[in-house]
Amino acid sequence: MTSALYPTYARADIAFSRGDGAWLIAENGDRYLDFASGVAVLSLGHAHPHLVETLAEAAQKPWHVSNLYRIPQAERLAERLVAATFADVVFFTNSGAEAVEAAIKTARKYHAANGQPERFRLITFEGAFHGRTLATIAAGGNPKYIEGFGPPVEGFDQVPFADLAAVEAAVTDETAGVLLEPVQGEGGLRVFPPEFLRQLRRLCDERGLLLVLDEVQCGVGRTGRFLAIEHAGVAPDIVALAKGLGGGFPIGACLATQEAAKGMTLGTHGSTFGGNPLAASVGGAVLDVVLSEGFLPRVASLGGLLRQRLAELQDRHGAIIETVRGEGLMFGLKTRVPNGDFAAAARAEGLLTVLAGDNVVRLLPPLIIDETHIAEAVARLERACARLAAPAKQMGAA
C-alpha cells in the first residue's frame, strides 16, 4: 500500500464500502462481523436508522455556529447527561483525549480556585491509556508513546494497577486527585475491582482529592450501565466521555459536579468545534436509544451470554486463549499466541477485533447486537483458534 497519509497506523489492506448494523461489507463484497466497532465508537452499529435520520435532519440546519452563541442542541444534550449521571455541568469536546484534557484542567483549576495552585498532580495507574495529546500521553505513562516528543508534561505519578497502598504512599501536598479508567481498554481490558474503587473514593474524601475517571471507552452503556463506575456504587467528581457518545460522529464530553468545576469560569477553557449543532444532535440521538427503557439491562444480559460463550471457547482452546476479561459488551481475550496472530486469524474468518496491551485481543461489538451475532462471533473465533492450532499440530506430527 502507498499513501499520502502519515504512516502512523498499521492498517489492514481492506476498505469498506457499506455498513449495516453489526456488519461491514468490503469493496470486494466480503462481509465482516464487526466486533471492533471502530474501537468502541459505533455504539449503535452501522447506519442506525435513528442516527441517519437525525444527522440528515441536522444537516439541513446550521452545522456550526461556534461557542460565541447559544447552541440549543448542546444545551439539551448536557441536560440529559446531567440527568443520567452524577454530574451537574458538562463541557463538550471533539474527542476523548480532549475530554481527558478538560478533566485534568478541571481538577487542577479546582484546587487553584481553593487557593492551593500547588495541588496540580494526578495519580494514575500502570497500563492506563488516556489519549495521544502531550498531557494525556504523560498521564498514561507508556514510554512507547512518550519517547521522542520532548520532556513529558509534568504532574503525573504512576502507581501499580489497583494498589491502594501505593496510591496512599504517592499522595503529597501537591496531589490534586486520582485519574483512572474503571475498565482499562488499551491496557488489556483490566477491570478495577469494585471494592478497590469504593476504598479509593473514601481515600479521596479523606485527603481532599478529586476522583477523575476516563470513561472514554467504557462509558455510555458499554458495560451495561451508563457509566462503568456505577457497578461499584461510587460517585466520581469528574468523568471524561467520548467514543460511544457520538455513535461514529466525533464528540467528547467532560462531566463534573458543580463543586469540582467551580474553577472553570468564563474564559478558562474553550473549543472551536466542541458541542456544535451536528455533533450534539447525533449525541442526543444516541442517548435516545441508549437511555430507552430496557436497553442497558439488555446490554448487561447479552454481556453475560457473551462471557459464558467465551469461557466455553477458552475451555476448548486453552492452548490458544489464556483468560477472558471484561464487563458488559467489552471483553478481552489474553492469548497464548501473539495477539496480532489471533486478530489476523479472526479477520481471516470474517470477524473484526481490536488489539490491546498485555497480549490481549479486544471484543467491542455494537450494543445493538443480539444472540445470533454472539453465536456467529463465537463460531468464527472457534475457527480462528483451529486455524492457529493447526500449524502446531503439524509441527508435532513432524
Side-chain angles (χ1 to χ4, degrees), residues 221-224 231 299-300 302-304 306-307 326-331 367:
R222 174 59 57 184
T223 68
H231 291 283
V299 170
L302 288 170
L306 180 55
R307 179 191 296 277
E327 188 73 58
L329 289 177
M330 184 178 185
F331 283 102
L367 305 183

Side-chain angles (χ1 to χ4, degrees), residues 250-295:
I251 183 171
C254 177
L255 285 59
T257 64
Q258 193 76 52
E259 173 67 9
K262 69 182 183 183
M264 302 302 279
T265 54
L266 183 65
T268 54
H269 195 42
S271 170
T272 295
F273 296 105
N276 79 13
L278 274 178
S281 297
V282 178
V286 169
L287 293 195
D288 289 343
V289 177
V290 171
L291 296 178
S292 64
E293 186 175 356
F295 186 87

Side-chain angles (χ1 to χ4, degrees), residues 29-77:
D30 289 347
R31 289 172 60 85
Y32 294 84
L33 185 55
D34 187 1
F35 268 44
S37 297
V39 194
V41 165
L42 293 147
S43 48
L44 303 184
H46 299 276
H48 190 282
H50 185 50
L51 267 61
V52 171
E53 182 182 1
T54 299
L55 183 59
E57 184 178 329
Q60 303 305 313
K61 300 176 181 177
W63 292 15
H64 182 80
V65 297
S66 85
N67 285 298
L68 297 175
Y69 305 96
R70 286 185 56 203
I71 302 175
Q73 299 91 333
E75 292 171 356
R76 175 63 180 147
L77 179 58

Side-chain angles (χ1 to χ4, degrees), residues 79-92:
E79 289 167 1
R80 298 180 71 188
L81 289 170
V82 165
T85 68
F86 71 99
D88 301 312
V89 288
V90 178
F91 181 89
F92 288 114

Side-chain angles (χ1 to χ4, degrees), residues 3 28 38 54 79 86 123 165 190 204 206 219 221 223 285 303 326 328 334 363 369 375 397:
S3 172
N28 65 1
T54 299
E79 289 167 1
F86 71 99
I123 296 170
R190 295 194 296 178
C204 287
E206 291 167 3
T223 68
K334 182 175 172 62
L363 301 175
I369 61 167

Side-chain angles (χ1 to χ4, degrees), residues 35 79 94 97 111 146 174 228 246 263 267 331 356 359 366 388:
F35 268 44
E79 289 167 1
N94 311 295
H111 291 287
I146 294 174
E174 295 183 342
F331 283 102
N359 207 42
L388 290 164

